[in-house]
């Protein structure tokens, strides 16, 4: 079998990259170890966020929102999206300042964001009992996808329309290199010849890169969320709420409330040190972490702390030392590309990242700003430093280090 492009991994990033390569005229095969969307992408909260730490990420986030709401127009397949908007809420002086800064810069970078009045917050969020002295931003562009599987299904249907070959339950076991270039991939049952191979293997990105003799230093870190049983105080039409000082997010889900957050001491988990059969189902879950985070907003959202839990799920983010996506050509192995380093936003950024990477692969020129996401920036820091920095980036999801990417 041969293809112009082989993508390893059928999560949101791999499927979007494969789809956009096919839309650009390439023959594409996506090879998946298990089933499409069964790992991190199938566990996502489905939140899209227009307020970001720098201009490049703002552009990618807003482009992704645009692509999600117009999915049927460009991909030919319907996708249901909740155009809920979101509140970003701060309850401390330092976080107020952070949000004021984000308001100014996000507006400069084109996002539609404004200060929310106390009344807007009190009336606009039925599941949140505002105290009255919060500082909040209203972000009308923000959306969510109720069930993450629906984005995966939409990508799959669009891929099928474009003739993408999907091979499931077929782990890639080899990435041959000849004359200094990748020549395709191998699985237990076949070889696929291709001049371009994209590593979109999520938490397994490093193992897959190692098959090609490359190092892509990313640190997988656990993330969890819960969904409560249906609750009368949750209006399904409510917006998303992000309480930045508690590093927590909330949204309506299945008649109840979704709650997730970013603990200060998250759990790193490297699949390379796990049995070969390791999957997201084996990531140990700890409801105590979420209950502790929920206690920080117990006054405003009692249901998050005490509501009966209908679902508790989790998976792995791939964190980079600088918190940026890792997308582009892998140094030293021509023809080998990576789409990873999601840093917790790979689901919502997948439309625009896939589009940009496909444009880069097919034209040979990096789209504006993308060169600064390429993996050659990651250097050769020690494993300890990588994990330490990755954990810092995780814990500071809502108050990231200043960034000047454009
Ligand atoms: C609880 C939770 C909530 C989240 N909420 C959000 C959110 O609200 N918004 C957001 O933007 N992001 C969110 N994320 C992050 C988001 O899920 C990830 O950024 C995104 O799914 C990453 O996509 P991916 O394609 O890189 O990885 P994955 O979805 O994990 O896909 C990688 C695929 O590669 C396959 N693979 C691995 N090795 C091989 C191999 N050797 N051969 C073939 N295939 C292989 C795997 O089986 C897997 O299917 C959340 C994550 C979690 C865990």
């Amino acid at each position: 079998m041969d293809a112009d492009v082989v993508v390893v991994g059928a999560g949101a990033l791999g499927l979007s990259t494969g789809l956009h390569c096919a839309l650009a005229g390439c023959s594409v095969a996506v090879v998946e170890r298990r089933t499409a969307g069964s790992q991190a992408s199938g566990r996502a909260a489905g939140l899209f966020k227009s307020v970001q730490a720098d201009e490049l990420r703002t552009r990618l986030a807003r482009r992704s929102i645009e692509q999600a709401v117009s999915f049927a127009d460009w991909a030919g397949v319907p996708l249901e999206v909740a155009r809920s908007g979101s509140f970003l809420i701060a309850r401390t002086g330092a976080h107020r300042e952070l949000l004021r800064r984000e308001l100014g810069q996000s507006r400069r970078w084109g996002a539609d964001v404004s200060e929310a009045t106390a009344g807007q917050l009190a009336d606009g969020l039925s599941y949140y009992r505002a105290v009255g002295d919060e500082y909040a931003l209203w972000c009308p562009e923000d959306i969510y996808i109720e069930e993450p599987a629906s984005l995966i299904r939409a990508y799959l249907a669009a891929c099928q329309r474009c003739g993408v070959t999907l091979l499931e339950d077929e782990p890639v076991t080899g990435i041959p290199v000849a004359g200094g270039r990748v020549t395709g991939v191998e699985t237990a049952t076949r070889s696929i010849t291709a001049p371009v191979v994209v590593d979109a293997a999520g938490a397994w990105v490093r193992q897959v890169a190692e098959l090609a003799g490359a190092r892509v230093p990313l640190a997988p870190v656990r993330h969890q969320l819960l969904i409560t049983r249906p609750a009368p105080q949750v209006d399904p039409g409510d917006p998303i709420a992000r309480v930045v000082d508690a590093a927590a997010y909330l949204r309506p889900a299945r008649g109840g409330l979704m709650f997730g957050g970013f603990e200060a001491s998250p759990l790193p988990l490297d699949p390379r040190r796990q049995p070969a059969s390791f999957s997201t189902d084996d990531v140990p879950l700890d409801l105590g972490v979420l209950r502790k985070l929920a206690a920080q907003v117990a006054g405003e959202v009692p249901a998050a702390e005490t509501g009966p839990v209908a679902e508790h799920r989790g998976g792995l983010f791939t964190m980079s030392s600088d918190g940026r996506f890792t997308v582009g050509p892998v140094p030293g192995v021509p023809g080998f590309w990576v789409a990873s380093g999601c840093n917790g936003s790979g689901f919502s950024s997948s439309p625009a990242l896939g589009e940009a990477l496909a444009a880069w692969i097919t034209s040979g020129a990096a789209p504006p700003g993308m060169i600064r996401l390429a993996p050659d920036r990651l250097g050769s820091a020690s494993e300890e430093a990588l994990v330490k920095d990755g954990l810092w980036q995780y814990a500071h999801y809502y108050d990231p280090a200043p960034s000047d990417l454009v």
Side-chain angles (χ1 to χ4, degrees), residues 257-282:
L257 197 60
M258 178 184 285
F259 175 84
F262 302 85
E263 68 267 37
S265 306
L267 179 74
L269 207 167
D270 189 341
R272 293 177 306 165
R273 301 207 178 82
Q274 301 296 319
S277 61
F278 175 80
S279 83
T280 304
D281 293 336
D282 302 315

Side-chain angles (χ1 to χ4, degrees), residues 110-190:
D112 182 3
V113 189
S114 56
E115 277 184 8
T117 62
Q120 227 179 331
L121 186 62
D123 298 342
L125 263 186
S126 54
Y127 59 79
Y128 189 94
R129 288 193 217 138
V131 177
D133 63 355
E134 295 90 349
Y135 178 78
L137 301 182
W138 170 238
C139 314
E141 294 174 312
D142 287 1
I143 61 170
Y144 67 86
I145 291 180
E146 171 77 30
E147 301 295 340
S150 60
L151 178 62
I152 297 301
R153 274 198 301 274
Y155 277 139
L156 287 172
C159 280
Q160 199 176 14
R161 277 170 58 97
C162 297
V164 172
T165 302
L166 172 69
L167 303 170
E168 293 183 295
D169 297 313
E170 196 162 331
V172 166
T173 51
I175 301 183
V177 177
R181 289 192 62 88
V182 295
T183 59
V185 303
E186 284 165 359
T187 72
T189 52
R190 76 185 96 208

Side-chain angles (χ1 to χ4, degrees), residues 7-15 30-49 144 148 152 167 170-174 186-187 199-205 207-208 211 221-226 242 249 251 258 262 279-280 313-318 325 339-350 397:
V7 179
V8 184
L13 287 173
L15 289 172
V30 179
V31 189
E32 164 57 45
R33 173 181 176 243
R34 290 178 173 254
T35 54
S38 61
Q39 304 303 307
S41 299
R43 324 282 161 129
L47 305 174
F48 290 58
K49 181 171 183 280
Y144 67 86
I152 297 301
L167 303 170
E170 196 162 331
V172 166
T173 51
E186 284 165 359
T187 72
D199 179 355
W204 296 265
V205 64
Q207 283 102 309
V208 170
L211 295 175
V221 173
R222 181 183 67 186
H223 182 68
Q224 313 176 79
L225 60 80
L226 63 80
R242 296 179 171 98
Y249 56 82
R251 73 158 168 91
M258 178 184 285
F262 302 85
S279 83
T280 304
R313 67 185 189 230
L316 298 171
F317 288 178
T318 47
F325 299 118
S340 190
C342 77
N343 287 281
S345 304
F347 183 85
S348 56
S349 303
S350 62
Y397 188 84

Side-chain angles (χ1 to χ4, degrees), residues 11 87 360 383:
F87 286 104
W360 195 347
E383 289 298 315

